[in-house]
Amino acid sequence: MPPPYSLVSREVTDSTQDDARAAFAGQPVLVVAGEQRRGRGRSARDWQTAPRAMAASLACRPDWDAANLSLIPLLAGIAAARVIDCGLKWPNDVLIAEEKVGGILVESSDGTVVAGFGLNLWWPGAPDGYGALHSDDPGPHRAVELAEQWASALLELIDTGSSDWPRDEYRTKSVTIGRDITWTPGGIGKAIDVAPDGALIVITPTAQTLTLHASEVRHVR
């Protein structure tokens, strides 16, 4: 069984990531909010959010080697896919029908990991490329419900250990494997697999096989 966690629920906050880190005192803590004033995405990007949204951050201290913590973003994505019917764009986006409905952000310091999951619950007139989980407003309680399901799923995955992470399950949910992609700082090729350490394996037009660990990947349509 995954370890228990404490729950902090707020209507509005500056950042659930910062709140979870501040509230962590040795046992997992989950912070959920419907709105963030200073939410951030990967690489400190601003997070675009829906009028009805979920911002959830889980702080914990996995009993893992530090070298394996890079798997946590993929596990957070798997946990999301166990809760909602979605695809996973490597390394951190949650998609439904090619539209981004959510994102994963994982930050770690001194062995403490804060895993964040932002999800658009309802977004009429969403910008191009973005979507939401529900076509009608599900109300304010939906955020806490989904966040708790996600946190439980993620803690169960973490508790299983890094050596047994469900790589095949990730592959099944991946919408990146098999796609032509580009990546930053500059590259083009096809994603062919996810490595045991969570890196993305790609093959270039010159048949060179590369392994991407922290690149910004875009699907070619």
Side-chain angles (χ1 to χ4, degrees):
M1 292 293 291
Y5 61 85
S6 57
L7 173 66
V8 178
S9 177
R10 295 173 174 155
E11 291 185 10
V12 182
T13 190
D14 286 341
S15 166
T16 58
Q17 290 286 101
D18 295 342
D19 290 351
R21 185 181 297 104
F24 181 73
Q27 289 295 316
V29 57
L30 173 66
V31 177
V32 187
E35 181 183 344
Q36 293 186 108
R37 298 188 189 95
R38 299 176 186 170
R40 57 185 179 270
R42 191 167 175 260
S43 301
R45 291 180 178 86
D46 289 338
W47 170 248
Q48 295 197 59
T49 190
R52 179 71 69 193
M54 177 200 79
S57 294
L58 176 71
C60 61
R61 186 167 290 156
D63 186 21
W64 288 17
D65 290 338
N68 296 327
L69 293 179
S70 61
L71 287 172
I72 300 292
L74 278 71
L75 296 187
I78 293 171
R82 288 183 177 183
V83 173
I84 63 174
D85 185 10
C86 67
L88 302 174
K89 175 179 174 288
W90 190 93
N92 67 320
D93 287 346
V94 176
L95 305 184
I96 294 178
E98 295 294 322
E99 294 182 329
K100 181 174 178 177
V101 299
I104 302 293
L105 174 66
V106 177
E107 300 169 319
S108 62
S109 177
D110 298 324
T112 299
V113 171
V114 182
F117 179 24
L119 181 63
N120 302 324
L121 298 179
W122 173 67
W123 200 349
D128 185 47
Y130 290 83
L133 183 62
H134 297 289
S135 56
D136 296 308
D137 188 351
H141 302 295
R142 184 64 167 151
V144 174
E145 177 185 24
L146 287 173
E148 290 204 90
Q149 292 174 10
W150 170 75
S152 295
L154 179 54
L155 286 171
E156 182 177 356
L157 287 163
I158 291 173
D159 195 47
T160 299
S162 59
S163 61
D164 261 341
W165 80 279
R167 186 176 165 208
D168 286 343
E169 185 177 353
Y170 185 90
R171 287 168 165 145
T172 299
K173 287 295 184 179
S174 173
V175 295
T176 301
I177 295 173
R179 295 284 293 266
D180 292 327
I181 62 169
T182 62
W183 61 87
T184 303
I188 184 169
K190 175 176 282 190
I192 58 173
D193 203 357
V194 170
D197 66 354
L200 186 67
I201 302 173
V202 302
I203 188 166
T204 71
T206 59
Q208 182 183 12
T209 301
L210 301 176
T211 303
L212 307 181
H213 288 89
S215 297
E216 181 72 20
V217 165
R218 292 179 176 84
H219 291 170
V220 177
R221 301 196 180 192

Coordinates of all heavy atoms in Angstrom, one line a residue, residues 47 73 76-104 117-120 123 127-134 170 172-177 179-181 216-221:
W47 N 2.0 29.0 -17.0 CA 1.0 28.0 -17.2 C -0.3 28.6 -17.6 O -0.9 29.3 -16.9 CB 0.9 27.1 -15.9 CG -0.3 26.1 -16.0 CD1 -1.4 26.2 -15.3 CD2 -0.3 25.0 -16.8 NE1 -2.2 25.1 -15.6 CE2 -1.6 24.4 -16.6 CE3 0.5 24.4 -17.8 CZ2 -2.0 23.2 -17.2 CZ3 0.1 23.3 -18.4 CH2 -1.1 22.7 -18.1
P73 N 8.7 12.2 -13.5 CA 7.8 12.8 -14.4 C 7.0 11.8 -15.2 O 5.8 12.0 -15.5 CB 8.7 13.7 -15.3 CG 9.9 14.0 -14.4 CD 10.1 12.7 -13.6
A76 N 4.4 10.2 -13.0 CA 3.3 11.2 -12.8 C 2.4 11.1 -14.0 O 1.2 11.3 -13.8 CB 3.9 12.6 -12.5
G77 N 2.9 11.0 -15.2 CA 2.1 10.9 -16.4 C 1.3 9.6 -16.4 O 0.1 9.6 -16.8
I78 N 2.0 8.5 -16.0 CA 1.2 7.2 -16.0 C 0.1 7.3 -15.0 O -1.0 6.8 -15.2 CB 2.2 6.1 -15.6 CG1 3.2 5.8 -16.7 CG2 1.4 4.8 -15.3 CD1 4.3 4.8 -16.3
A79 N 0.4 7.9 -13.8 CA -0.7 8.1 -12.8 C -1.9 8.9 -13.4 O -3.0 8.6 -13.1 CB -0.1 8.8 -11.5
A80 N -1.5 9.9 -14.1 CA -2.6 10.7 -14.8 C -3.4 9.9 -15.7 O -4.7 9.9 -15.8 CB -2.0 11.9 -15.5
A81 N -2.7 9.0 -16.5 CA -3.4 8.2 -17.5 C -4.2 7.1 -16.8 O -5.2 6.5 -17.4 CB -2.4 7.6 -18.4
R82 N -3.9 6.7 -15.6 CA -4.7 5.8 -14.8 C -6.0 6.4 -14.3 O -7.0 5.7 -14.0 CB -3.9 5.2 -13.7 CG -2.8 4.2 -14.1 CD -2.1 3.6 -13.0 NE -1.1 2.6 -13.4 CZ -0.3 1.9 -12.6 NH1 -0.5 2.0 -11.3 NH2 0.6 1.0 -13.1
V83 N -6.0 7.7 -14.2 CA -7.2 8.4 -13.7 C -8.1 8.9 -14.8 O -9.3 8.9 -14.6 CB -6.7 9.6 -12.8 CG1 -7.8 10.4 -12.3 CG2 -5.9 9.0 -11.5
I84 N -7.5 9.4 -15.8 CA -8.3 10.0 -17.0 C -7.8 9.3 -18.2 O -6.7 8.8 -18.3 CB -8.1 11.5 -17.1 CG1 -6.7 11.9 -17.4 CG2 -8.6 12.2 -15.8 CD1 -6.5 13.4 -17.7
D85 N -8.7 9.3 -19.2 CA -8.4 8.7 -20.5 C -7.6 9.7 -21.4 O -8.2 10.6 -21.9 CB -9.7 8.2 -21.2 CG -9.4 7.5 -22.5 OD1 -8.2 7.1 -22.8 OD2 -10.3 7.3 -23.3
C86 N -6.3 9.5 -21.4 CA -5.4 10.5 -22.0 C -4.2 9.8 -22.7 O -3.9 8.7 -22.4 CB -5.0 11.6 -21.0 SG -3.9 10.9 -19.8
G87 N -3.6 10.6 -23.5 CA -2.3 10.2 -24.1 C -1.2 11.0 -23.4 O -1.4 12.1 -22.9
L88 N 0.1 10.5 -23.5 CA 1.2 11.2 -22.9 C 2.2 11.6 -23.9 O 2.7 10.7 -24.7 CB 1.9 10.2 -21.9 CG 1.0 9.7 -20.7 CD1 1.7 8.7 -19.9 CD2 0.5 10.9 -19.9
K89 N 2.5 12.9 -24.0 CA 3.5 13.4 -24.9 C 4.8 13.6 -24.1 O 4.8 14.4 -23.1 CB 3.0 14.8 -25.5 CG 4.1 15.5 -26.4 CD 3.5 16.8 -27.0 CE 4.5 17.5 -27.7 NZ 5.5 18.2 -26.8
W90 N 5.8 12.9 -24.5 CA 7.1 13.0 -23.8 C 7.6 14.4 -23.8 O 7.6 15.1 -24.9 CB 8.1 12.0 -24.5 CG 9.3 11.8 -23.7 CD1 9.6 10.9 -22.7 CD2 10.5 12.6 -23.7 NE1 10.8 11.0 -22.2 CE2 11.4 12.1 -22.8 CE3 10.9 13.8 -24.5 CZ2 12.7 12.6 -22.6 CZ3 12.2 14.3 -24.2 CH2 13.0 13.7 -23.3
P91 N 8.1 15.0 -22.7 CA 8.2 14.3 -21.4 C 7.1 14.6 -20.5 O 7.0 14.0 -19.4 CB 9.5 14.8 -20.9 CG 9.6 16.2 -21.4 CD 8.9 16.2 -22.8
N92 N 6.3 15.7 -20.7 CA 5.5 16.2 -19.6 C 4.1 16.7 -20.0 O 3.4 17.3 -19.1 CB 6.2 17.4 -19.0 CG 6.3 18.6 -19.9 OD1 6.6 18.4 -21.1 ND2 6.2 19.8 -19.4
D93 N 3.6 16.4 -21.2 CA 2.2 16.9 -21.5 C 1.2 15.8 -21.5 O 1.5 14.7 -21.9 CB 2.3 17.6 -22.9 CG 3.0 18.9 -23.0 OD1 3.2 19.5 -21.9 OD2 3.3 19.4 -24.1
V94 N 0.0 16.2 -21.2 CA -1.2 15.3 -21.1 C -2.1 15.7 -22.2 O -2.6 16.9 -22.3 CB -1.8 15.3 -19.8 CG1 -3.1 14.4 -19.7 CG2 -0.9 14.9 -18.7
L95 N -2.4 14.8 -23.2 CA -3.2 15.2 -24.3 C -4.5 14.3 -24.4 O -4.5 13.2 -24.0 CB -2.4 14.9 -25.6 CG -1.1 15.6 -25.8 CD1 -0.5 15.3 -27.2 CD2 -1.1 17.1 -25.6
I96 N -5.5 14.9 -25.0 CA -6.7 14.2 -25.4 C -7.0 14.7 -26.8 O -7.2 15.9 -27.1 CB -7.9 14.5 -24.5 CG1 -7.7 14.0 -23.1 CG2 -9.2 13.9 -25.1 CD1 -8.8 14.3 -22.1
A97 N -7.0 13.7 -27.7 CA -7.2 14.0 -29.2 C -6.4 15.1 -29.7 O -6.8 16.1 -30.3 CB -8.7 14.3 -29.4
E98 N -5.1 15.0 -29.4 CA -4.1 16.0 -29.9 C -4.1 17.4 -29.2 O -3.4 18.3 -29.6 CB -4.1 16.2 -31.4 CG -3.8 14.9 -32.2 CD -2.3 14.5 -32.0 OE1 -1.5 15.4 -32.0 OE2 -2.1 13.3 -31.9
E99 N -5.1 17.6 -28.3 CA -5.1 18.8 -27.6 C -4.5 18.7 -26.2 O -4.8 17.7 -25.5 CB -6.6 19.3 -27.5 CG -7.2 19.6 -28.8 CD -8.7 20.1 -28.6 OE1 -9.3 19.7 -27.7 OE2 -9.1 21.0 -29.5
K100 N -3.8 19.7 -25.8 CA -3.1 19.7 -24.5 C -4.2 20.0 -23.4 O -4.8 21.1 -23.4 CB -2.0 20.7 -24.4 CG -1.3 20.7 -23.1 CD -0.1 21.6 -23.1 CE 0.6 21.6 -21.7 NZ 1.8 22.4 -21.7
V101 N -4.4 19.1 -22.5 CA -5.3 19.3 -21.4 C -4.6 19.4 -20.1 O -5.3 19.8 -19.1 CB -6.4 18.2 -21.3 CG1 -7.2 18.1 -22.6 CG2 -5.8 16.8 -21.0
G102 N -3.4 19.1 -20.0 CA -2.7 19.2 -18.8 C -1.2 19.0 -19.0 O -0.7 18.8 -20.0
G103 N -0.5 19.2 -17.9 CA 1.0 19.1 -17.9 C 1.5 18.7 -16.5 O 0.9 18.8 -15.5
I104 N 2.7 18.1 -16.6 CA 3.4 17.6 -15.4 C 4.6 18.5 -15.2 O 5.4 18.8 -16.1 CB 3.9 16.1 -15.7 CG1 2.6 15.2 -16.0 CG2 4.6 15.6 -14.5 CD1 1.7 15.1 -14.9
F117 N 0.7 18.4 -11.1 CA -0.2 18.0 -12.3 C -1.2 19.1 -12.4 O -2.0 19.3 -11.6 CB -0.8 16.7 -12.0 CG -1.8 16.2 -13.0 CD1 -1.7 16.6 -14.3 CD2 -2.7 15.2 -12.7 CE1 -2.6 16.1 -15.3 CE2 -3.6 14.8 -13.6 CZ -3.5 15.2 -15.0
G118 N -1.1 19.9 -13.5 CA -2.1 20.9 -13.9 C -3.0 20.3 -14.9 O -2.6 19.7 -15.9
L119 N -4.3 20.5 -14.7 CA -5.3 19.9 -15.6 C -6.5 20.8 -15.9 O -7.0 21.4 -15.0 CB -5.9 18.6 -15.0 CG -6.9 17.8 -15.8 CD1 -6.3 17.3 -17.1 CD2 -7.5 16.7 -14.9
N120 N -6.8 21.0 -17.2 CA -7.9 21.9 -17.6 C -9.2 21.0 -17.4 O -9.3 20.0 -18.2 CB -7.8 22.4 -19.0 CG -6.5 23.2 -19.2 OD1 -6.1 23.9 -18.4 ND2 -5.9 23.0 -20.4
W123 N -13.1 24.4 -20.3 CA -12.5 25.6 -21.0 C -13.2 25.9 -22.3 O -12.8 25.6 -23.3 CB -11.0 25.3 -21.2 CG -10.2 26.6 -21.4 CD1 -10.7 27.9 -21.6 CD2 -8.8 26.7 -21.5 NE1 -9.7 28.8 -21.7 CE2 -8.5 28.1 -21.7 CE3 -7.8 25.8 -21.4 CZ2 -7.2 28.5 -21.8 CZ3 -6.5 26.2 -21.5 CH2 -6.2 27.6 -21.7
P127 N -7.8 28.2 -26.3 CA -6.9 28.6 -27.4 C -6.6 27.4 -28.3 O -6.7 26.2 -27.8 CB -5.7 29.1 -26.7 CG -6.1 29.4 -25.3 CD -7.3 28.5 -25.0
D128 N -6.2 27.6 -29.5 CA -5.9 26.5 -30.4 C -4.8 25.6 -29.8 O -3.8 26.1 -29.3 CB -5.4 27.1 -31.8 CG -5.1 26.0 -32.8 OD1 -6.0 25.2 -33.0 OD2 -4.0 26.1 -33.4
G129 N -5.0 24.3 -29.9 CA -4.1 23.4 -29.4 C -4.3 23.0 -27.9 O -3.7 22.1 -27.4
Y130 N -5.3 23.7 -27.3 CA -5.6 23.3 -25.9 C -7.0 22.8 -25.8 O -7.9 23.1 -26.6 CB -5.5 24.6 -25.0 CG -4.1 25.0 -24.8 CD1 -3.4 25.8 -25.7 CD2 -3.4 24.7 -23.6 CE1 -2.1 26.3 -25.5 CE2 -2.1 25.1 -23.4 CZ -1.5 25.9 -24.3 OH -0.2 26.3 -24.2
G131 N -7.3 22.0 -24.8 CA -8.6 21.4 -24.5 C -8.8 21.2 -23.1 O -8.1 21.7 -22.2
A132 N -9.9 20.6 -22.8 CA -10.3 20.3 -21.4 C -10.9 18.9 -21.2 O -11.4 18.3 -22.2 CB -11.3 21.4 -20.9
L133 N -10.9 18.5 -20.0 CA -11.4 17.1 -19.7 C -13.0 17.0 -19.9 O -13.5 16.0 -20.4 CB -11.1 16.7 -18.3 CG -11.4 15.3 -17.8 CD1 -10.7 14.3 -18.7 CD2 -11.1 15.1 -16.4
H134 N -13.7 18.1 -19.5 CA -15.1 18.1 -19.5 C -15.7 19.1 -20.5 O -15.1 20.2 -20.6 CB -15.7 18.3 -18.1 CG -15.3 17.3 -17.1 ND1 -15.8 16.0 -17.1 CD2 -14.4 17.3 -16.1 CE1 -15.3 15.3 -16.1 NE2 -14.5 16.1 -15.5
Y170 N 3.7 2.9 -20.0 CA 4.0 4.2 -20.6 C 4.0 4.2 -22.1 O 3.5 5.0 -22.8 CB 5.4 4.7 -20.1 CG 5.6 6.2 -20.5 CD1 5.2 7.2 -19.7 CD2 6.2 6.4 -21.7 CE1 5.4 8.5 -20.2 CE2 6.4 7.7 -22.2 CZ 6.0 8.8 -21.4 OH 6.1 10.1 -21.9
T172 N 2.4 2.2 -24.1 CA 1.1 2.1 -24.6 C 0.3 3.4 -24.6 O -0.4 3.7 -25.5 CB 0.3 1.1 -23.7 OG1 0.9 -0.2 -23.8 CG2 -1.2 1.0 -24.2
K173 N 0.6 4.3 -23.6 CA -0.1 5.6 -23.5 C 0.7 6.7 -24.2 O 0.1 7.8 -24.4 CB -0.2 6.0 -22.0 CG -1.3 5.2 -21.3 CD -2.6 5.5 -21.8 CE -3.7 4.8 -21.1 NZ -5.1 5.1 -21.6
S174 N 1.9 6.4 -24.7 CA 2.7 7.4 -25.4 C 2.1 7.8 -26.7 O 1.7 6.9 -27.5 CB 4.1 6.9 -25.6 OG 4.8 7.9 -26.4
V175 N 1.9 9.1 -27.0 CA 1.5 9.6 -28.3 C 2.7 10.2 -29.0 O 2.6 10.8 -30.1 CB 0.4 10.6 -28.2 CG1 -0.9 10.0 -27.6 CG2 0.8 11.8 -27.3
T176 N 3.9 10.0 -28.5 CA 5.1 10.4 -29.1 C 5.9 9.3 -29.8 O 6.4 9.6 -30.9 CB 6.1 11.1 -28.0 OG1 5.4 12.2 -27.4 CG2 7.4 11.6 -28.6
I177 N 5.9 8.1 -29.2 CA 6.6 7.0 -29.9 C 5.9 6.8 -31.3 O 4.7 6.6 -31.4 CB 6.5 5.8 -29.0 CG1 7.3 6.0 -27.7 CG2 7.1 4.5 -29.8 CD1 7.2 4.9 -26.7
R179 N 6.1 8.9 -33.8 CA 5.9 10.2 -34.4 C 7.1 10.8 -34.9 O 8.2 10.7 -34.3 CB 5.2 11.1 -33.4 CG 3.8 10.7 -33.0 CD 2.8 11.0 -34.0 NE 2.6 12.4 -34.3 CZ 1.6 13.1 -33.7 NH1 0.8 12.6 -32.8 NH2 1.5 14.4 -34.0
D180 N 7.0 11.5 -36.1 CA 8.1 12.5 -36.5 C 8.1 13.6 -35.5 O 7.0 14.2 -35.2 CB 7.8 12.9 -37.9 CG 8.0 11.8 -38.9 OD1 8.8 10.9 -38.7 OD2 7.3 11.8 -39.9
I181 N 9.3 14.0 -35.1 CA 9.4 15.1 -34.1 C 10.5 16.0 -34.4 O 11.4 15.7 -35.2 CB 9.6 14.5 -32.6 CG1 10.9 13.7 -32.6 CG2 8.4 13.6 -32.2 CD1 11.4 13.4 -31.2
E216 N 13.1 19.8 -25.3 CA 11.7 20.2 -25.6 C 11.3 19.6 -27.0 O 12.0 19.9 -28.0 CB 11.6 21.8 -25.7 CG 10.2 22.3 -26.0 CD 9.3 22.2 -24.8 OE1 9.8 22.0 -23.7 OE2 8.1 22.2 -25.0
V217 N 10.3 18.8 -27.0 CA 9.9 18.0 -28.1 C 8.6 18.5 -28.7 O 7.7 18.8 -28.0 CB 9.8 16.5 -27.8 CG1 9.1 15.7 -28.9 CG2 11.2 15.9 -27.5
R218 N 8.6 18.6 -30.0 CA 7.3 19.0 -30.7 C 7.0 17.9 -31.7 O 7.9 17.4 -32.5 CB 7.5 20.3 -31.4 CG 7.7 21.5 -30.5 CD 7.8 22.8 -31.2 NE 7.9 24.0 -30.3 CZ 9.0 24.4 -29.7 NH1 10.1 23.7 -29.9 NH2 9.0 25.4 -28.9
H219 N 5.7 17.5 -31.8 CA 5.3 16.6 -32.8 C 5.1 17.3 -34.1 O 4.7 18.4 -34.2 CB 3.9 16.0 -32.4 CG 3.9 15.1 -31.2 ND1 2.8 14.7 -30.6 CD2 4.9 14.6 -30.5 CE1 3.1 13.9 -29.6 NE2 4.4 13.8 -29.5
V220 N 5.5 16.6 -35.2 CA 5.3 17.1 -36.6 C 4.0 16.6 -37.1 O 3.8 15.4 -37.1 CB 6.5 16.7 -37.5 CG1 6.3 17.2 -38.9 CG2 7.8 17.2 -36.9
R221 N 3.2 17.5 -37.5 CA 1.8 17.2 -38.0 C 1.8 17.0 -39.5 O 2.5 17.7 -40.2 CB 0.8 18.2 -37.5 CG 0.7 18.3 -36.0 CD -0.6 19.0 -35.6 NE -0.6 19.1 -34.2 CZ -1.7 19.5 -33.5 NH1 -2.8 19.7 -34.1 NH2 -1.7 19.6 -32.2

